Amino acid sequence: MTVSPTSKGTVPFGPHRTWYRVTGDLGVAAPALVAVHGGPGSTHDYLVGLARFAELGWPVVHYDQLGNGGSTHLPDRGADFWTPSLFLDELANLLARLEIRDYVLFGQSWGGLLAARHAAARPPGLRGLVVANAPASYPLWLREMKVLRDQLPAGVDDTLRRHEAAGTTDSREYFEAMMVFYNRHVCRLTPWPREFMATFMEIYNDPTVYYTMNGPSEFHVVGSLRDWGVVDCLPDIAVPTLLISGRHDEATPATVQPYQDLIPDVRWALFEESSHIPHLEEPERFTAVLTEFLTELGR
């Protein structure tokens, strides 16, 4: 059951607006848990369950990154506008506007790379970092995507590649073949949880950011992020870090390994029954793992 927010609204970000919701009291002594969602071009919806941590004493902040959800949509902007720097600036602006001085970042998927890059700059208020289901670079991600695609049932990858080569990734046949991969490596629950479906539909309601930066699917990354990563900055992260991934995750262990190897203070929790969203696939263990990490950080 979702915990009701304490406040919701938008903050200015240049000429645009960033939508946010706060659950709990930002004035308490405990650091805020700030959720940075995936995509890019996703929304906060599939992470809304993190709000329950407010009941355990940590105020929780969700927001929709620019271009999606409740934030300003800019469907006419191109790749020169949609950059990692834009979203790093948006995150810093949100923290400043909400006067969040002590916080833990929870970055999921693309949000994990964004959170890692933010943490590497050593902002003074950051107390801890959670990198969930995130590759350390997109070249590494693409290498592992080939491994996972090669393991799909006979004919599925052939169908995907035929449409990718023809530029017909918007076809029904491509979608159905894509879902074979998604049901193995993105969400293994049947049916998909309502909050995850909400995010999935939001991407397709306005795919500007996702298509521009990522591409038409999780495994066909042909957008501006295809050569981007955070491996270079991982040794600069100076806060305790929790890595989360699923045994069946599209973010395979090989894509997560650089975080383990390069961040000085790091631990890794692997969820055996999960793919890309352990917080929904194994919620009880997820809550226990994150609660333990937050408790050890102190208040």
Side-chain angles (χ1 to χ4, degrees):
M1 184 175 180
T2 302
V3 182
S4 297
T6 307
S7 62
K8 294 192 292 186
T10 63
V11 297
F13 174 46
H16 314 302
R17 309 289 300 188
T18 299
W19 180 93
Y20 72 90
R21 57 171 275 166
V22 175
T23 310
D25 181 3
L26 290 176
V28 301
L33 181 63
V34 180
V36 186
H37 66 68
S42 181
T43 61
H44 80 285
D45 297 88
Y46 74 106
L47 294 175
V48 74
L50 291 175
R52 66 181 173 272
F53 284 89
E55 296 184 325
L56 301 176
W58 293 276
V60 179
V61 178
H62 290 88
Y63 73 104
D64 287 337
Q65 292 164 25
L66 193 66
N68 290 89
S71 296
T72 304
H73 289 234
L74 299 159
D76 297 326
R77 296 299 181 97
D80 59 334
F81 180 80
W82 303 110
T83 65
S85 294
L86 171 75
F87 293 103
L88 287 167
D89 290 345
E90 182 184 33
L91 173 57
N93 179 72
L94 179 76
L95 294 169
R97 294 282 184 175
L98 295 181
E99 298 182 349
I100 297 172
R101 294 181 176 83
D102 292 292
Y103 61 103
V104 177
L105 276 189
F106 181 98
Q108 202 276 337
S109 197
W110 139 261
L113 288 91
L114 204 63
R117 183 68 72 176
H118 176 92
R122 301 189 178 184
L126 185 65
R127 298 290 173 256
L129 173 67
V130 183
V131 176
N133 319 100
S137 78
Y138 283 92
L140 193 55
W141 172 272
L142 282 168
R143 191 183 78 189
E144 288 296 290
M145 288 301 104
K146 183 181 186 308
V147 174
L148 297 180
R149 288 174 66 144
D150 287 346
Q151 296 171 357
L152 293 173
V156 174
D157 196 41
D158 291 339
T159 298
L160 292 169
R161 292 190 185 281
R162 185 174 71 251
H163 285 289
E164 288 163 3
T168 52
T169 55
D170 58 349
S171 69
R172 182 68 189 179
E173 187 179 39
Y174 185 85
F175 177 82
E176 290 174 353
M178 180 184 79
M179 290 304 295
V180 176
F181 180 97
Y182 280 35
N183 287 327
R184 285 185 170 207
H185 300 298
V186 180
C187 179
R188 293 168 64 84
L189 299 175
T190 304
W192 282 3
R194 183 175 62 180
E195 56 266 53
F196 186 62
M197 278 300 302
T199 285
F200 193 75
M201 294 309 298
E202 285 277 4
I203 292 174
Y204 285 92
N205 287 339
D206 186 349
T208 303
V209 182
Y210 187 76
Y211 283 6
T212 301
M213 297 184 74
N214 186 85
S217 68
E218 292 290 275
F219 46 78
H220 189 49
V221 181
V222 293
S224 59
L225 286 180
R226 62 188 177 274
D227 298 318
W228 189 71
V230 296
V231 175
D232 62 304
C233 72
L234 298 181
D236 296 326
I237 294 174
V239 294
T241 300
L242 170 65
L243 305 178
I244 290 173
S245 67
R247 173 65 67 185
H248 309 282
D249 205 330
E250 58 180 348
T252 66
T255 72
V256 178
Q257 191 66 44
Y259 294 107
Q260 176 71 22
D261 293 342
L262 298 173
I263 296 175
D265 183 358
V266 64
R267 70 185 72 174
W268 189 349
L270 182 65
F271 287 72
E272 294 292 340
E273 304 302 323
S274 295
S275 55
H276 199 52
I277 48 173
H279 63 282
L280 296 177
E281 294 168 293
E282 295 182 67
E284 290 184 3
R285 183 179 174 223
F286 171 85
T287 298
V289 167
L290 186 52
T291 300
E292 180 182 17
F293 177 71
L294 293 173
T295 300
E296 289 180 7
L297 291 177
R299 293 178 184 265

